[in-house]
């Protein structure tokens, strides 16, 4: 980490760690929409980004945007503790296995494992952008997390990411022993585009009659072609913009006819019997809020065991903010605690 980055991290943590009343003053008039109030630390963070003229990722050339994403998530994620980390070749894809410690001792083997797919609109994001997130989830939940680097668009448009996610799931089933995983306690999860991939993998697993214990869908993209009130209400100034979403859709699905394919839009899928129970997380100030909640309702209507949790004061991307501020980390802690309760109840 360079000296400039160290200073940036320290400054951001200091500002986002200030008492909430002070943050309210610095952040400006509180932002209230749809009966919700944006968290003061997040409103301050967004204001800081504007003041320092942090470029929006969607305004940059693709490779520069990917580099910016790594830097930005490094600022908000920090360096989270973890028992151990090792690189894994997952069906020809780069993978990273996070093994937590439990009171200073290794976790039980075999144990539960979360196969994690990162967000990033299918065209950015990697093992580095979500390193802090995976460390945090694994260590707090006491659950192994295997993160996978699937192919990105525009170099590899649909169905590349979906095919990679499905191949990774099959590989995990076949190699559970070498991962320290109990095949009966394997879950899939991810945020945004990763939530989309997790949902579609769960659908494929159910259709094939393969084991899957749980699905963790954090502000999932479930209908890229759909129009919702949350997209209209929150599509500017709150990190995830309409411009970003348009670029993501154009990059991943250059053929417009594929945008309603159920492998792209699980909200439009015919749900099979036997779907794994789901925990669907949404953020109040997120353009994807409504489609995530619509998918939770669809699961419930199909008889799937599902729990919906909206964090009304959060924005899209809060899963990456575990190293600065209070409110996003608290939300992530609640998600990790749910992961522990479901997958590792005796851990």
């Amino acid at each position: 980490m360079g000296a400039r980055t160290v200073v940036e991290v320290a400054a951001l943590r200091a500002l986002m760690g200030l008492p909430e009343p002070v943050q309210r003053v610095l952040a400006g008039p509180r932002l209230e929409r749809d009966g919700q109030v944006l968290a003061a630390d997040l409103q301050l963070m967004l204001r800081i980004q504007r003041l320092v003229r942090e470029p929006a990722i969607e305004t940059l050339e693709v490779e520069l945007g990917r580099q910016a994403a790594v830097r930005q998530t490094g600022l908000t994620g920090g360096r989270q503790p973890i028992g151990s980390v090792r690189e894994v070749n997952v069906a020809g894809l780069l993978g990273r296995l996070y093994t937590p410690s439990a009171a200073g001792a290794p976790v039980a083997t075999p144990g539960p494992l979360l196969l994690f797919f990162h967000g990033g609109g299918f065209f950015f994001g990697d093992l580095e952008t979500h390193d802090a997130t995976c460390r945090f989830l694994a260590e707090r939940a006491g659950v192994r997390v295997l993160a996978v680097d699937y192919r990105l668009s525009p170099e590899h448009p649909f169905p590349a990411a979906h095919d990679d996610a499905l191949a990774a799931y099959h590989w995990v089933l076949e190699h559970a022993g070498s991962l320290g995983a109990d095949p009966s306690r394997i879950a899939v999860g991810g945020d945004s585009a990763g939530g989309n991939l997790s949902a579609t993998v769960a659908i494929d697993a159910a259709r094939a009659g393969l084991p899957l214990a749980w699905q963790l869908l954090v502000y999932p993209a479930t209908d890229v072609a759909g129009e919702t009130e949350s997209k209209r209400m929150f599509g500017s100034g709150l990190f995830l913009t309409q411009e970003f979403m348009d670029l993501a859709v154009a990059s991943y699905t250059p053929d417009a006819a594929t945008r309603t394919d159920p492998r792209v839009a699980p909200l439009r899928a015919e749900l099979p019997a036997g779907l794994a129970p789901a925990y669907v997380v949404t953020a109040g100030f997120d353009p994807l809020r409504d489609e995530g909640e619509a998918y939770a309702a669809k699961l419930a209507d199909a008889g799937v065991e599902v729990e919906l949790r909206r964090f009304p004061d959060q924005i899209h991307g809060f899963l990456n903010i575990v190293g600065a501020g209070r409110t996003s980390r608290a939300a992530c802690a609640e998600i990790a605690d749910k992961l522990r309760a479901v997958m590792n109840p005796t851990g």
Side-chain angles (χ1 to χ4, degrees):
M1 184 181 292
R4 180 172 180 267
T5 302
V6 170
V7 171
E8 289 175 329
V9 169
L12 183 64
R13 287 183 180 175
L15 289 167
M16 292 186 69
L18 290 170
E20 194 268 350
V22 177
Q23 290 178 339
R24 282 286 173 209
V25 172
L26 296 175
R30 72 177 191 171
L31 181 60
E32 183 172 354
R33 290 183 192 168
D34 201 24
Q36 308 167 131
V37 178
L38 182 63
D41 54 358
L42 293 179
Q43 188 172 343
L44 178 58
M45 181 189 75
L46 293 171
R47 187 176 192 188
I48 292 169
Q49 289 178 338
R50 290 192 296 270
L51 289 173
V52 301
R53 298 182 179 179
E54 181 73 32
I57 288 172
E58 63 269 22
T59 65
L60 301 173
E61 186 271 333
V62 171
E63 190 53 42
L64 292 177
R66 291 170 181 167
Q67 294 171 17
V70 171
R71 189 183 68 81
Q72 290 174 9
T73 54
L75 291 175
T76 59
R79 187 70 173 176
Q80 301 300 316
I82 188 66
S84 66
V85 180
R86 69 178 172 94
E87 305 301 312
V88 182
N89 184 313
V90 181
L93 305 168
L94 292 175
R96 189 174 289 173
L97 179 64
Y98 300 85
T99 301
S101 58
V107 294
T109 302
L113 181 139
L114 173 68
L115 175 60
F116 184 87
F117 303 111
H118 65 77
F122 302 103
F123 73 102
F124 84 93
D126 57 21
L127 296 179
E128 294 304 324
T129 59
H130 286 66
D131 181 71
T133 296
C134 290
R135 287 168 174 262
F136 182 87
L137 291 175
E139 190 69 10
R140 186 172 178 104
V143 171
R144 289 176 176 84
V145 174
L146 177 62
V148 175
D149 235 357
Y150 53 88
R151 288 173 292 171
L152 299 176
S153 62
E155 299 94 329
H156 304 284
F158 171 78
H162 169 78
D163 290 350
D164 285 354
L166 192 58
Y169 164 69
H170 284 280
W171 186 92
V172 166
L173 291 182
E174 295 169 4
H175 296 83
S178 67
L179 297 169
D182 176 353
S184 69
R185 289 193 288 166
I186 291 172
V188 292
D191 62 315
S192 195
N196 172 288
L197 296 174
S198 299
T200 57
V201 165
I203 291 171
D204 284 338
R207 285 183 180 143
L210 296 173
L212 187 66
W214 198 55
Q215 40 181 329
L216 171 61
L217 311 179
V218 180
Y219 36 79
T222 66
D223 189 13
V224 299
E227 296 295 331
T228 64
E229 183 63 15
S230 63
K231 284 182 178 177
R232 183 197 65 79
M233 191 177 300
F234 305 118
S236 66
L238 293 163
F239 179 67
L240 179 61
T241 65
Q242 187 62 55
E243 291 75 17
F244 181 97
M245 291 184 285
D246 290 344
L247 180 58
V249 170
S251 297
Y252 186 52
T253 53
D255 178 1
T258 64
R259 294 171 189 169
T260 55
D261 188 304
R263 293 171 296 171
V264 173
L267 187 59
R268 299 172 186 257
E270 292 186 14
L271 300 182
L275 263 175
Y279 185 58
V280 181
V281 175
T282 62
F285 287 79
D286 181 0
L288 300 190
R289 183 192 70 186
D290 291 355
E291 64 192 77
E293 295 182 359
Y295 190 63
K298 182 182 180 75
L299 291 171
D301 289 344
V304 180
E305 181 184 339
V306 59
E307 180 179 347
L308 171 65
R309 174 64 165 107
R310 180 196 290 187
F311 292 95
D313 64 348
Q314 294 297 294
I315 60 172
H316 192 91
F318 77 79
L319 195 67
N320 293 104
I321 312 175
V322 293
R326 290 180 291 271
T327 64
S328 294
R329 185 180 174 91
C332 294
E334 185 175 324
I335 293 169
D337 291 345
K338 174 62 67 172
L339 176 62
R340 173 187 287 275
V342 172
M343 300 294 294
N344 193 28
T346 61

